[in-house]
Structures are given as C-alpha cells and as structure tokens.
Amino acid sequence: MRLNQIPFIVFLILMLPGCQNSQIKPKETTVIIADSSQPAALKRPDPHSYSRHDRVKIKHLDINLEVDFKDKVLAGFVTIDYEKIKPEASQLFLDTRDLKIKRITAVNDSNNPKLIWRYGQSHELLGKQLIIDLPDDGSAIKIQYQTMPKASGLQWLSPSQTNGKQPYLFSQSQAIHARSWIPLQDTPAVRVTYDATITVDRAVKPVLSADNNQQKGVDGVYKFSMPQAIPSYLIAIAVGDITHQKISEHVSIFAAPDVVEAAAYEFSETENMITATEKYYGSYRWGQYDLLILPPSFPFGGMENPKLSHITPTVIAGDRSLDSLIAHELAHSWSGNLVTNALWQDAWLNEGFTTYIESRIVDAVHGKERMVMEATLAYEALLNSMQELPLDQQKLINPTFSIDPDDYFSAVTYDKGRFFLDWLEQQVGREVFDQFLNMYFDQFAFQSITTAAFTQYLDDNLVKKYPEKISMKQVDVWLNEPGMPDFFTPPTTSQFDKIDQLVEAWLSNELQLTTAISRAWTTQEWLHFLRALPSQLTAEQLQLLDQTFSLTQRQNSEIAHDWLLISINNQYEVAYGRLITYLTEIGRVKLIKPLYEALMAQPALNNLAANIYQKARASYHPIATSQIDTIVGHNPDVSE
Ligand code: BES
Ligand code: ZN
C-alpha cells in the first residue's frame, strides 16, 4: 500500500469506536508565517536554500580564512569543486547571507580566470542567491570574500565575555547559518568534504569540525581536513584560548584552561558511551570524538559538529547528572551526521532518532532508572508543549510550510519522535529493533534522506516482517496525526510517584519538609519535585522550601532554572539576586528564555526584566537576542 492512500483508511479506522486519537487541543492557535516567497520556495529542491543542486552540486571546499578579531571578520577565499548533474548546466547557484564577495575566478583558466556572477533571489532569512557562470573547462571556482561583523552564524566575544584574557569566536551553522560565513549550497541534501587553512593571532588557537592538527600552527597558520562528506550545517569553527586534554582512546576535551579539568571529570563516561552505541548501531565512523566546551553564551545545549561536538558549560554540574547531553550529541554521529535529514521538514529524522539513541546510551551507562526518569520528564514536558502547539505542529510531519527552518524543531520533533521509536522497539523487541536500526544506518550511511525514504525502509524491513506487531496505519498515526496515539503507553516511574505523594502530604500538612526526605535525590528527582509543586505557593512555603533545601544557592543549572521560574511566578524576592547572576552569566536559550517569559508575564517584574536584559544582552548570541528582544520588547535599532 502506498502511503498517500493511508489518510482515507486512517479516517475510516478512526471512526471505529475506541480508536479515537487523543488529540491535544491547543490553548491558542498561532498563525504560521505566511510568506510571500512560499510558492516559489516550494519549487526549489530545498525551500530553505537557493541552491539548485539538482543541476550542479558542490563536492569539496578548500576554505582559507584569516580571523580578524579587531574588525570581527573572517577574510580570505573558498575554492569549490563541483559536479554537473545536468550536462547542459552552465551556472552554479549558491547561498550567501551578508557576505562581501570580492572576486570570483576559475582556478585553472589562466587566460581568462575572471568569472561573471550576480545576485539572484533574496530573502531576509534565506540571504541572497549567488549565481556564477561556470568556466568552460569545468575547473574549480575560487571565491574571494569576507564576512560581516553581524554574520548570523558567528559570535565574536571580547576577552571580558569569556572570563579570559583572549577574545573568542565560534560558529553555529545549523540550520541555515553556514551561508553567513561561507558561500556554499546550504542545504542538508548536499554533502561536501573540506580542507581548511585558518590563520589566527598567535595567542589563540582554532579548532574545526574536522581532523584537528593539535600541533601548534606555524605563525598562527593551522591546517585541517575533513575527509568524510558532511552537510553544510555541520561545518564549524571556534577560536580562542583553547587547551586540550586527552581523557580516553577516542576522546579529548577542548576547553579554556580553567574549565578543562572539571569537564574532563564531568564527561568521563564519553568513551563508554561510544562503546555502547557502537555495540547497538555499528562502528563510529568519524575517528576522534572530541568535546569543545564553549563559553557560557553558547545558545544551545550542544551541537553535534562531527569529530568535535560543541557543548555548553552549563551541563558541568559536578556529578555527571547532566551528561545525557553528551549522549545526545554523540548519538548524532549516527542519526544526523551519518544519515541526515534531506530537508528541515524532516528534522525529526535527526532529532527524534537521536533522542531515542540518547536514551539507549543513558540506559547503558547510567542504568534504566535514570533513563526512565528522563523519559518521564520529557513526556510531561512534551504534553505541556503540545498544549501550546497548533494541531499541524503536533504532527511529526508538519504539513504547514515555514520559511524559518527553526520552526521545525520542537518537543514534537525530539520527544514525540523518540517515543515513536520507543514504541517501535516495544512492538518488535529490543534485539530486533537494534538490528533494524543498525542496518538502516549502514544502508543510508553518508546520505541525506526524507521521511518517505525512511517509511519505505521501515515497511520493507520491519512492518512486512512483523505485520501482527506493527501496521503502516499505526505508523501513519504517529507521523500524520496530532497528539499522542492512544495505543502508546506513557513512561512512568515509582520514584516520581513517591515524590508526588510526598508533595501531597506536605501540602496537606501531614508531613514536614526535612533534608532527610531528599537525601538521595538525583537531579532528575529534584526536577520532578520542583515541577510537582503547585504553581501558586505562599511566601511561607517558598521560604520553607528554600531554607530546607537551599534552592536559591543551587549551582546545577537545570535545578536552578526550575527554582528561579517558581520564584518569578510567586514573586519570591530573595531569589532575585541569584536570578540576575544566572541571566547575566548564561546565554543558553533553553534556560534563559522561559525566565524572561515568566518575568514579562508579571507586570510588576517587567522593569526587572528590562534592567537585567540591558546588562546581559551584549553577551548573548544573536540567536538568543533575536528571540528575547521580542519577549522583552527590546528594539535593537534604537539602542545600537
Ligand atoms: N542539533 C541540535 C541543536 C540545534 C537544533 C541547533 C536546531 C540549531 C537548530 C542539538 O543536537 C540539540 O538537539 N541540542 C539540544 C540538546 C538536547 C539534549 C536536546 C539543546 O541544545 O538543547
Ligand atoms: Zn540534537
């Protein structure tokens, strides 16, 4: 049966009694960006890219850039090897955003090296299409260019913003920011290998998502090579006062000198994580797996740049309780970096699979108890966020087009995707499912695929073999229906049940809060406890909680976040000092955005929000400020 025949059949089945899908009704319906470029965008092979890789495809990049901290620019050239897909093609279409193009030449044509080029279509988010007339001899193309200080994929930090003596630069290319620092075909459907020569001031060191030559570069010139073909969103650079420490066979920590020790302790399970993942899903194909600990303004938890994941320092908790993030970024070495979503609409193929594998790694290295607690926390958060999402966005295949690829990343992409794979595993058993995934990664290694390719593979290799356990109708419900399917059993854990009982007993005055009740609580139990508290607490209750458990003093970034949220919602002033430090020291969007939202939801705290933001904003990444400006009502054009 073809998948496009499914909706009608699903409709019939849903009409049967007892088969109603548990749809989550949104609180309010947000209007999805209705963009005038939408119809044109959908005619391109990838609507989020101006490249026409169906005509000419780039294959290899030779990147040669000098890092200029004073002017906040990267300047140099990139040489591009390409392949004609259509023999008659005469132009190369690339993506650029805020680049200054200086000169474009053919590498081998010494008689007439200069090539004719022009800009084509443009869009605020997508940047500008660069159209280059191909040289007759098919030789490589050299583009001399420089970036702009406002490049959306780069953050330039002054020494004072890194707690160090040196400035810092890092890139964040996913989803479509690589084009703001390299002209290329910025679509996950195209893979390239690359070489790079990076020139820096001698006091700092560059590291790339490539084989990092750890020897000191002569006169600040460093060479890198990335022999495995990767999509553009995985090209990454960081430059700063970066030292490294080897912690195991495949793993080194790259970090500022004052962070490297703590990180080495925190992430000591990384090698075991690699071993566990290889056992389930086949060999790790990238050689080294290093971790780069970024300054606290890094806007994400982690970014799976191949060979060198970028990691926020906010997961250094001192007790390894937040190292699931490493499991997650490592898991992308299979789901995402090896088998890649061809379009951003298919982001769940990257993030849902990765969240599933993350949980398997956590199970293997920290045990089932922690894995199930994390699953339960994620499930509760998923239900909460689905309350806010329009029905279309509750579907794994979101049918509403958005020009901003970030709109395809939500709790649905990550956790509904993950629970779908959990469910598949439960249907056929772990051993069979592991074998299936192992084959899947091998089959599609170093390729970019769509959801349709996955469902075809699933049908051929699992559903047809176990028709009594899984049907394509059920698969279709997971992919194309809102909410969670009725036939899914949510995770639960007795650990959290105990905490719920305790909270209830405390609220009905049957129990006194003492440190004894929380003595052996893990981070995950603390998070559940804080989330299980009623949203409105009295001043006495807040004081008692804080005095008993020293919550305002907590250094664990996740626990502190949840407590600060409670403090804001209940205007618990004692915690405001800690809130100010927290928001000025950390730039991870997941941790700071909810706090600004909570502050703005309380009219009495809007001034506090504005004051903190004024102080903190300069250290935040453009990805963070673009979101928080709107929340706080900050107009960037007025203040800069
Ligand atoms: N690839 C993502 C980060 C990302 C997604 C960057 C979309 C840009 C656009 C990364 O693997 C990720 O999911 N990070 C999470 C961590 C996680 C444990 C869920 C994060 O940063 O919070
Ligand atoms: Zn991820």
Side-chain angles (χ1 to χ4, degrees):
M1 179 171 50
R2 301 229 317 271
L3 259 177
N4 61 10
Q5 295 173 307
I6 286 175
F8 180 63
I9 294 162
V10 170
F11 171 77
L12 288 179
I13 290 170
L14 288 178
M15 289 298 101
L16 296 170
C19 276
Q20 268 76 13
N21 193 43
S22 62
Q23 291 193 356
I24 309 255
K25 296 278 176 311
K27 270 195 202 143
E28 61 194 76
T29 307
T30 48
V31 179
I32 314 231
I33 306 163
D35 189 274
S36 54
S37 68
Q38 181 168 329
L42 290 173
K43 280 185 205 140
R44 296 192 287 270
D46 175 349
H48 301 107
S49 166
Y50 284 127
S51 72
R52 295 307 310 247
H53 48 277
D54 51 339
R55 299 177 191 166
V56 180
K57 198 184 261 194
I58 63 170
K59 300 297 283 181
H60 179 81
L61 305 176
D62 197 346
I63 303 163
N64 200 312
L65 292 170
E66 192 169 334
V67 181
D68 177 351
F69 276 106
K70 191 171 66 56
D71 292 334
K72 300 186 176 172
V73 298
L74 299 177
F77 63 86
V78 59
T79 304
I80 303 179
D81 291 329
Y82 53 88
E83 177 194 346
K84 277 192 187 183
I85 305 295
K86 296 250 163 69
E88 71 279 12
S90 60
Q91 291 176 319
L92 174 64
F93 294 76
L94 300 179
D95 293 296
T96 69
R97 181 175 179 177
D98 298 327
L99 294 180
K100 279 190 196 152
I101 305 286
K102 293 189 181 149
R103 192 178 144 91
I104 304 184
T105 50
V107 171
N108 290 337
D109 195 337
S110 51
N111 294 331
N112 186 20
K114 235 175 148 185
L115 294 174
I116 295 173
W117 63 272
R118 65 182 171 86
Y119 286 118
Q121 292 163 274
S122 69
H123 182 277
E124 202 191 332
L125 284 174
L126 305 185
K128 277 193 209 164
Q129 184 179 43
L130 175 62
I131 306 172
I132 305 167
D133 286 353
L134 291 175
D136 297 332
D137 63 355
S139 69
I141 291 174
K142 179 173 169 180
I143 304 177
Q144 279 163 279
Y145 73 101
Q146 70 179 50
T147 62
M148 298 236 225
K150 65 170 177 186
S152 62
L154 300 175
Q155 190 180 18
W156 299 85
L157 294 168
S158 65
S160 64
Q161 290 169 317
T162 68
N163 295 334
K165 295 185 190 70
Q166 300 302 333
Y168 204 99
L169 161 71
F170 66 88
S171 67
Q172 170 52 48
S173 297
Q174 198 182 13
I176 55 167
H177 301 288
R179 64 189 70 176
S180 76
W181 63 286
I182 308 171
L184 41 56
Q185 292 182 324
D186 199 8
T187 164
V190 172
R191 308 177 83 88
V192 291
T193 51
Y194 73 82
D195 292 306
T197 305
I198 306 294
T199 307
V200 295
D201 188 281
R202 262 179 255 174
V204 289
K205 194 174 108 158
V207 285
L208 270 66
S209 58
D211 288 324
N212 281 293
N213 180 350
Q214 292 173 20
Q215 310 313 318
K216 201 150 179 51
V218 179
D219 288 334
V221 181
Y222 291 77
K223 301 238 178 230
F224 304 86
S225 127
M226 182 57 181
Q228 288 101 331
I230 55 167
S232 56
Y233 75 89
L234 294 175
I235 304 180
I237 184 172
V239 183
D241 183 7
I242 298 169
T243 179
H244 58 91
Q245 181 178 323
K246 185 172 160 79
I247 62 165
S248 62
E249 190 186 342
H250 296 98
V251 187
S252 287
I253 305 284
F254 286 74
D258 59 330
V259 179
V260 75
E261 277 300 328
Y265 175 83
E266 198 75 25
F267 306 133
S268 64
E269 289 292 349
T270 310
E271 189 74 37
N272 290 338
M273 292 181 172
I274 299 172
T275 313
T277 325
E278 286 191 309
K279 191 176 109 204
Y280 301 141
Y281 310 116
S283 61
Y284 177 77
R285 308 208 196 192
W286 307 90
Q288 273 295 112
Y289 182 67
D290 296 332
L291 302 173
L292 173 69
I293 316 305
L294 275 291
S297 70
F298 182 54
F300 294 107
M303 178 64 214
E304 65 271 27
N305 298 313
K307 298 177 191 273
L308 181 72
S309 285
H310 286 199
I311 302 294
T312 172
T314 62
V315 290
I316 304 180
D319 60 2
R320 302 175 180 146
S321 65
L322 300 176
D323 68 354
S324 314
L325 178 96
I326 307 299
H328 180 97
E329 304 314 333
L330 169 68
H332 274 304
S333 307
W334 285 259
S335 45
N337 300 5
L338 193 59
V339 181
T340 309
N341 53 214
L343 299 172
W344 293 117
Q345 286 98 315
D346 299 309
W348 81 276
L349 286 181
N350 276 18
E351 298 300 346
F353 274 62
T354 294
T355 307
Y356 168 77
I357 296 177
E358 167 196 338
S359 78
R360 295 294 308 279
I361 298 173
V362 170
D363 188 349
V365 303
H366 290 302
K368 186 165 178 200
E369 214 164 69
R370 173 159 152 194
M371 185 273 273
V372 176
M373 285 197 276
E374 290 182 345
T376 311
L377 288 171
Y379 182 73
E380 281 157 9
L382 172 63
L383 291 189
N384 283 338
S385 55
M386 279 205 283
Q387 299 271 352
E388 311 287 329
L389 291 175
L391 294 179
D392 271 356
Q393 291 180 41
Q394 297 177 21
K395 302 171 184 175
L396 273 179
I397 305 179
N398 177 357
T400 313
F401 174 72
S402 175
I403 197 77
D404 185 350
D406 291 346
D407 290 343
Y408 293 103
F409 292 80
S410 72
V412 170
T413 323
Y414 285 78
D415 296 310
K416 186 175 175 181
R418 169 255 165 96
F419 289 123
F420 172 35
L421 296 199
D422 264 354
W423 176 81
L424 288 173
E425 181 205 303
Q426 285 157 19
Q427 298 312 106
V428 295
R430 195 164 263 198
E431 210 176 305
V432 170
F433 193 58
D434 284 358
Q435 260 167 25
F436 166 78
L437 280 187
N438 195 321
M439 270 168 44
Y440 163 80
F441 289 127
D442 201 49
Q443 170 78 29
F444 296 108
F446 297 106
Q447 293 178 42
S448 304
I449 66 164
T450 59
T451 301
F454 166 70
T455 46
Q456 186 63 58
Y457 190 79
L458 179 72
D459 194 8
D460 292 344
N461 295 283
L462 206 66
V463 179
K464 287 209 172 82
K465 286 186 189 155
Y466 298 92
E468 72 289 1
K469 299 197 167 145
I470 311 171
S471 72
M472 286 310 278
K473 285 170 213 149
Q474 289 171 308
V475 170
D476 187 70
V477 171
W478 276 105
L479 295 175
N480 296 311
E481 295 292 329
M484 292 297 279
D486 272 355
F487 49 81
F488 170 70
T489 318
T492 54
T493 150
S494 59
Q495 251 106 337
F496 287 180
D497 296 342
K498 273 185 227 151
I499 292 174
D500 292 339
Q501 287 156 14
L502 218 132
V503 170
E504 219 170 282
W506 174 55
L507 292 172
S508 51
N509 293 321
E510 289 158 27
L511 176 108
Q512 278 218 314
L513 289 188
T514 60
T515 47
I517 58 168
S518 68
R519 190 166 295 142
W521 280 0
T522 60
T523 295
Q524 288 68 35
E525 284 163 298
W526 277 108
L527 294 178
H528 181 77
F529 171 70
L530 293 170
R531 290 170 198 183
L533 293 170
S535 56
Q536 295 303 311
L537 291 160
T538 65
E540 295 75 51
Q541 286 173 321
L542 289 158
Q543 233 174 44
L544 195 68
L545 283 163
D546 201 8
Q547 275 164 9
T548 317
F549 301 127
S550 309
L551 292 164
T552 302
Q553 266 44 268
R554 288 305 171 98
Q555 292 307 305
N556 181 301
S557 65
E558 296 273 355
I559 297 175
H561 169 269
D562 280 23
W563 173 245
L564 290 172
L565 205 55
I566 293 172
S567 301
I568 296 168
N569 291 339
N570 292 281
Q571 301 196 16
Y572 178 59
E573 292 178 16
V574 178
Y576 291 177
R578 173 81 177 100
L579 175 69
I580 295 168
T581 326
Y582 190 91
L583 288 174
T584 39
E585 283 177 356
I586 296 177
R588 182 177 170 192
V589 178
K590 180 193 146 190
L591 296 178
I592 61 172
K593 188 176 160 189
L595 298 177
Y596 281 109
E597 282 170 337
L599 283 166
M600 293 312 289
Q602 310 261 349
L605 300 184
N606 289 5
N607 269 340
L608 179 62
N611 290 339
I612 301 176
Y613 192 48
Q614 200 180 17
K615 205 170 141 213
R617 189 177 184 278
S619 301
Y620 291 163
H621 191 280
I623 289 174
T625 53
S626 68
Q627 295 178 54
I628 297 170
D629 280 351
T630 356
I631 295 166
V632 181
H634 176 99
N635 185 344
D637 300 331
V638 173
S639 63
E640 281 164 4

Coordinates of all heavy atoms in Angstrom, one line a residue, residues 174 302-304 325 328-329 332 335 350-352 354-355 358 409 414, ligand 2:
Q174 N 24.0 25.4 12.0 CA 22.6 24.8 11.9 C 21.6 25.9 12.3 O 21.9 26.6 13.3 CB 22.5 23.6 12.8 CG 21.3 22.7 12.4 CD 21.0 21.5 13.4 OE1 21.6 21.4 14.4 NE2 20.2 20.6 13.0
G302 N 24.0 21.7 23.1 CA 25.1 21.1 22.4 C 24.8 21.2 20.9 O 23.7 21.4 20.5
M303 N 25.9 21.0 20.1 CA 25.8 21.0 18.7 C 26.7 19.9 18.2 O 27.9 19.9 18.5 CB 26.1 22.3 18.1 CG 26.1 22.4 16.6 SD 24.4 22.1 15.9 CE 24.8 21.2 14.4
E304 N 26.2 19.0 17.4 CA 26.9 17.8 17.0 C 27.9 17.9 15.9 O 28.0 17.0 15.0 CB 25.8 16.7 16.6 CG 25.0 17.1 15.3 CD 23.7 17.9 15.5 OE1 23.7 18.6 16.5 OE2 22.8 17.8 14.7
L325 N 23.3 15.0 27.7 CA 23.6 15.9 26.6 C 24.7 15.4 25.7 O 24.7 15.5 24.5 CB 23.9 17.3 27.1 CG 24.2 18.3 25.9 CD1 23.0 19.1 25.6 CD2 25.4 19.2 26.3
H328 N 23.5 12.6 23.7 CA 22.7 13.1 22.6 C 23.6 13.6 21.4 O 23.4 13.1 20.3 CB 21.8 14.3 23.1 CG 21.0 14.9 22.0 ND1 19.6 14.6 21.9 CD2 21.2 15.8 21.0 CE1 19.1 15.2 20.8 NE2 20.1 16.0 20.3
E329 N 24.6 14.4 21.7 CA 25.4 14.9 20.6 C 26.2 13.7 20.0 O 26.4 13.7 18.8 CB 26.3 16.0 21.1 CG 25.6 17.2 21.7 CD 24.4 17.7 21.0 OE1 24.3 17.5 19.7 OE2 23.5 18.3 21.6
H332 N 24.2 11.7 17.5 CA 24.1 12.3 16.2 C 25.1 11.8 15.2 O 25.0 12.0 14.0 CB 24.2 13.9 16.3 CG 22.9 14.6 16.6 ND1 21.8 14.4 15.8 CD2 22.5 15.5 17.5 CE1 20.8 15.2 16.2 NE2 21.2 15.8 17.3
S335 N 22.7 9.2 13.8 CA 21.4 9.8 13.4 C 21.6 11.3 13.2 O 21.6 12.1 14.1 CB 20.3 9.5 14.4 OG 20.8 9.8 15.7
N350 N 16.5 13.5 12.3 CA 17.7 13.7 13.0 C 17.5 13.7 14.6 O 18.1 13.0 15.3 CB 18.3 15.1 12.7 CG 19.1 15.2 11.5 OD1 19.1 14.3 10.6 ND2 19.9 16.2 11.3
E351 N 16.5 14.5 15.0 CA 16.4 14.8 16.4 C 15.6 13.7 17.2 O 15.9 13.4 18.3 CB 15.8 16.2 16.7 CG 16.7 17.3 16.2 CD 18.1 17.4 16.8 OE1 18.3 16.7 17.8 OE2 18.9 18.1 16.2
G352 N 14.6 13.2 16.5 CA 13.8 12.1 17.2 C 14.6 10.8 17.3 O 14.7 10.3 18.4
T354 N 17.8 10.7 17.4 CA 18.9 11.0 18.3 C 18.5 10.9 19.7 O 19.2 10.4 20.6 CB 19.5 12.4 17.9 OG1 20.1 12.2 16.7 CG2 20.6 12.8 19.0
T355 N 17.3 11.5 20.0 CA 16.8 11.5 21.4 C 16.5 10.0 21.8 O 16.7 9.7 23.0 CB 15.5 12.3 21.5 OG1 15.8 13.6 20.9 CG2 15.0 12.5 22.9
E358 N 20.0 8.6 22.4 CA 20.5 9.2 23.7 C 20.0 8.4 24.8 O 20.7 8.0 25.8 CB 20.0 10.6 23.7 CG 20.1 11.3 25.1 CD 19.2 12.5 25.2 OE1 18.8 13.1 24.2 OE2 18.9 12.9 26.4
F409 N 11.8 22.6 14.7 CA 12.4 22.0 15.9 C 11.5 22.3 17.1 O 11.4 23.4 17.5 CB 13.8 22.5 16.1 CG 14.8 22.1 15.0 CD1 14.8 22.7 13.8 CD2 15.6 21.0 15.2 CE1 15.7 22.3 12.8 CE2 16.5 20.6 14.3 CZ 16.5 21.2 13.0
Y414 N 11.6 16.2 18.8 CA 12.6 15.5 19.6 C 11.8 14.3 20.3 O 12.2 13.2 20.2 CB 13.2 16.4 20.7 CG 14.2 17.3 20.2 CD1 13.9 18.5 19.5 CD2 15.6 17.1 20.4 CE1 14.9 19.4 19.1 CE2 16.6 17.9 20.0 CZ 16.2 19.1 19.3 OH 17.2 19.9 18.9
Ligands
ZN2 ZN 20.1 17.0 18.6

